[in-house]
Amino acid sequence: MTRIPYLDLKAVNAEIQPELDRAYAQIVASGWFILGKAVETFEGAFADYVGVRHCVGVGNGVEALHLILRAYGIGPGDEVIVPSNTYIATWLAVTYAGATPVPVEPDPHSYNLDPNRIEAALTENTRAILPVHLYGQAADMRPILAIASRHDLVVIEDAAQAHGASYQGRRCGGLGHAAGFSFYPGKNLGALGDAGAVTTEDDALAEKVRSLRNYGSKKKYENEMLGFNSRLDELQAAFLSVKLPYLDKWNEHRRQIAEVYTDAFSQVPELTVPHTLDSASHVWHIYPLRCTDRDGLQAHLNRAGIGTLIHYPVPPHLSEAYATLGYKQGEFPVAEAIAQTELSLPISPVMTMDETEVVVGAVLDYFG
Ligand SMILES: *Cc1c(COP(=O)(O)O)cnc(C)c1O
């Protein structure tokens, strides 16, 4: 039986193993491991790729968002609009800053923050909107930015799933005031460990995040603010510089797989295929299929040797961690319905078209 893992990271990295080995050897030989040339080089390359003036490497994705919020002075008493259907890290970043996440439902087709529902959630304490480009498709940023400008709010993109995605011809990470990226190993651009970055056109914000990531210090032993230790390692930066030139090719491959899935499943009445926006170019970090009998389909695929995941089984408002906010089942029905019916099919730069057809066959077989 063909076994198709959800994501084979060994195979992804094997493609470029000699280059990764060289990068590793260079860093070891340099004897310099924190905030040096490799970080600067990657920051420059990623800023150019996104099309912004600044990239600041940080420890991971949730810290990228946290430091942006801190740098904008958002804290206790402040509210931040977040999607009701996201990975909990989006909410946690707001909580780390001492502010309160205020959930808003997604559009039921794009799965991204519904601009039409934002204004009803604003209060005099709202300071920012934190849209997520979920699954690799840009949120509908134009109306979100218009609302933000009317109410004098900051827009912070959670671009952790959207490396290389674009909206109206511009890359995610350069659409709002600032953006947080994660380079967690499984992301479209992934390090060999934890890593993240902040991208922005805002000079002052970039300066502040540079200081916040390094104990509140730009010059050794001179601490201008209460900072954190959230730095991008030289080693991870070197690996990311090796991988960045492959990102567009890898995303293109993901698109081909997604197209095969969508063509095969769009006529199956029990299935809902992801809706793509004309204005956005999707990078398919995740292929989110929806099915009312999700658990049955997942068990069937598992028996057929096909790995799947659920993104995400518990929406943040129903997680134990946020019990203190007092939300109940039924309060965010769109997010809850996604959590109950979403199934992520295998998709990656190394998955072959033959394997894709095997997955298609196994899914269709369930409804045959
Ligand atoms: C991965 C992810 C994060 C967090 O990134 P880490 O690097 O794991 O901290 C935040 N938001 C979203 C939407 C993510 O997918």
Side-chain angles (χ1 to χ4, degrees):
M1 186 174 64
T2 335
R3 293 210 73 85
I4 302 177
Y6 178 73
L7 168 64
D8 184 355
L9 274 179
K10 270 199 274 194
V12 173
N13 292 320
E15 251 190 9
I16 50 169
Q17 178 99 36
E19 287 180 82
L20 293 173
D21 288 347
R22 264 200 306 280
Y24 170 79
Q26 257 170 26
I27 298 299
V28 173
S30 79
W32 193 273
F33 302 105
I34 301 288
L35 297 185
K37 285 206 177 64
V39 168
E40 268 176 42
T41 300
F42 175 70
E43 287 177 341
F46 198 64
D48 286 349
Y49 179 82
V50 171
V52 290
R53 272 207 298 286
H54 307 283
C55 168
V56 184
V58 297
N60 53 60
V62 72
E63 279 301 309
L65 297 170
H66 169 217
L67 297 187
I68 294 167
L69 290 157
R70 290 260 175 189
Y72 278 125
I74 295 168
D78 296 332
E79 295 174 1
V80 177
I81 302 294
V82 293
S84 55
N85 64 320
T86 180
Y87 181 51
I88 196 169
T90 314
W91 289 41
L92 287 174
V94 176
T95 304
Y96 294 171
T100 304
V102 174
V104 166
E105 290 268 66
D107 172 272
H109 304 292
S110 73
Y111 309 142
N112 275 322
L113 201 55
D114 184 349
N116 295 316
R117 294 174 183 254
I118 292 174
E119 276 180 309
L122 302 180
T123 73
E124 59 188 16
N125 298 321
T126 312
R127 296 282 315 280
I129 307 175
L130 212 173
V132 179
H133 306 306
L134 197 70
Y135 304 141
Q137 177 163 252
D140 195 4
M141 294 297 285
R142 188 196 283 267
I144 292 173
L145 289 163
I147 292 164
S149 119
R150 270 203 299 284
H151 299 273
D152 200 19
L153 306 172
V154 173
V155 177
I156 301 164
E157 302 166 70
D158 182 338
Q161 302 187 356
H163 319 74
S166 61
Y167 176 81
Q168 298 181 342
R170 289 171 49 216
R171 283 247 160 84
C172 291
L175 302 168
H177 295 94
F181 281 91
S182 164
F183 306 116
Y184 180 80
K187 303 288 160 105
N188 288 30
L189 178 61
L192 307 186
D194 277 314
V198 171
T199 56
T200 185
E201 286 279 279
D202 181 338
D203 301 341
L205 188 272
E207 273 302 294
K208 206 143 186 205
V209 171
R210 271 183 204 287
S211 177
L212 281 173
R213 75 172 170 183
N214 189 33
Y215 296 118
S217 160
K218 270 177 287 195
K219 201 163 161 217
K220 206 161 188 169
Y221 306 126
E222 287 181 20
N223 298 79
E224 55 186 6
M225 59 184 94
L226 293 172
F228 301 84
N229 176 354
S230 180
R231 300 172 297 217
L232 173 61
D233 292 348
E234 286 284 285
L235 205 46
Q236 297 306 336
F239 294 146
L240 288 166
S241 287
V242 166
K243 288 179 138 190
L244 180 58
Y246 295 93
L247 177 58
D248 287 342
K249 187 184 91 171
W250 287 341
N251 283 343
E252 190 48 45
H253 188 74
R254 286 173 181 273
R255 263 180 217 121
Q256 284 173 19
I257 294 168
E259 212 168 288
V260 171
Y261 283 156
T262 295
D263 283 350
F265 304 141
S266 48
Q267 300 308 321
V268 180
E270 293 91 343
L271 297 174
T272 304
V273 297
H275 175 76
T276 52
L277 301 174
D278 290 339
S279 55
S281 137
H282 205 311
V283 292
W284 301 104
H285 173 57
I286 284 164
Y287 186 91
L289 190 62
R290 298 212 23 217
C291 176
T292 26
D293 181 20
R294 186 264 315 275
D295 295 346
L297 176 58
Q298 184 174 38
H300 167 80
L301 293 176
N302 189 38
R303 281 191 299 274
I306 296 167
T308 56
L309 292 174
I310 295 168
H311 296 94
Y312 298 90
V314 182
H317 73 280
L318 297 180
S319 77
E320 203 181 327
Y322 278 113
T324 45
L325 292 181
Y327 291 114
K328 289 177 191 63
Q329 182 94 34
E331 263 181 274
F332 297 96
V334 183
E336 290 168 24
I338 295 170
Q340 279 155 20
T341 57
E342 194 273 349
L343 186 67
S344 307
L345 298 183
I347 192 162
S348 86
V350 291
M351 188 177 169
T352 66
M353 294 330 259
D354 286 346
E355 289 173 318
T356 309
E357 293 298 345
V358 171
V359 176
V360 166
V363 171
L364 294 179
D365 181 49
Y366 187 64
F367 301 102

